[in-house]
Amino acid sequence: MAERTVLVTGGTGGLGGAVTAAFLTAGWRVVVPEREGSGNTPATGPVHVTADLLDPDGVARAVAVAAAEPTAPLRAVVNLVGGYASGGLVHETPIEEFDRMLRVNLRPTYLVTQAALPHLVAAGGGAVVCVSARAAVAPFPGAAGYATAKAAVQAFANAVAVEYRQRGVRCNTVLPSVIDTPANRAAQPDADHGRWVPPAQIAAVIRFLASDESAPTSGASIPVYGRA
């Protein structure tokens, strides 16, 4: 039986499926919130819970499920939920689109982390891993909202690392470039896909950052660019 639980948001996406598999293989109990839960039980894979992660009540429900197993306390949170949209230059981008990028990338990360932190502290410590993006440190034209939102995720993770280091909770960030998912291949069919990073490789880094193997590491921003 699993002795610890990880909450993986966005666990059904292109990267999320690989992250979920990595933790299951390592023997973790994995809880995956989604808008339409499948009702799976731990015996068949991850525990799915229906929850809207933009809503505090939905987040509370997801975290409660993740923390509900006394023999497998919540010891890690992986924040994968987010979104990308490209557009025009800043003067061409409506404030509504800019706000939307902040909402879908930063709000779930904040709400889930906020709700989970008391459980991580109560369990004796743990880890939070957030997913930012290369664009946070190397923006490109037409994505000011996305770059700003991902930079905010990185800054938030660093704040959590500082505030909770004395309570045994670490927080680190990974910065992908282009991930080799079917959706990205469909969107960029003429790109050199061999330069992109497979989801399983990023998942291995995330699992490491959530594990005791990375105990001395907190407040780090890890580039996972591959050759992209």
Side-chain angles (χ1 to χ4, degrees):
M1 294 182 63
E3 297 180 354
R4 51 191 173 176
T5 295
V6 58
L7 176 64
V8 180
T9 75
T12 59
L15 175 58
V19 171
T20 296
F23 278 98
L24 288 172
T25 299
W28 289 66
R29 174 178 174 259
V30 181
V31 175
V32 176
E34 53 185 322
R35 287 184 179 272
E36 296 296 334
S38 68
N40 284 354
T41 66
T44 59
V47 179
H48 291 264
V49 54
T50 303
D52 179 358
L53 299 185
L54 292 171
D55 173 59
D57 291 338
V59 168
R61 181 165 57 253
V63 171
V65 171
E69 183 53 66
T71 61
L74 179 62
R75 297 299 301 272
V77 173
V78 179
N79 290 304
L80 301 180
V81 165
Y84 169 77
S86 60
L89 301 180
V90 169
H91 77 282
E92 301 167 326
T93 302
I95 185 60
E96 292 80 9
E97 180 58 29
F98 188 85
D99 282 343
R100 190 177 76 85
M101 285 291 93
L102 288 171
R103 180 176 174 82
V104 301
N105 285 287
L106 184 59
R107 183 180 174 92
T109 294
Y110 181 86
L111 288 175
V112 172
T113 303
Q114 180 189 48
L117 279 167
H119 297 283
L120 297 176
V121 172
V128 178
V129 183
C130 299
V131 175
S132 178
R134 186 178 188 173
V137 295
F140 52 89
Y146 176 74
T148 301
K150 288 301 190 181
V153 168
Q154 184 182 18
F156 171 68
N158 290 341
V160 171
V162 170
E163 290 189 1
Y164 290 86
R165 62 187 175 190
Q166 300 302 327
R167 302 186 182 188
V169 178
R170 301 177 295 108
C171 190
N172 295 289
T173 311
V174 295
L175 283 70
S177 181
V178 184
I179 305 173
D180 190 4
T181 64
N184 283 339
R185 286 194 174 219
Q188 302 181 55
D190 299 325
D192 182 358
H193 302 149
R195 298 173 64 89
W196 297 355
V197 183
Q201 292 184 0
I202 299 174
V205 175
I206 291 173
R207 189 212 59 80
F208 170 75
L209 291 172
S211 72
D212 294 339
E213 299 166 86
S214 62
T217 305
S218 190
S221 296
I222 310 298
V224 284
Y225 306 157
R227 295 187 297 117

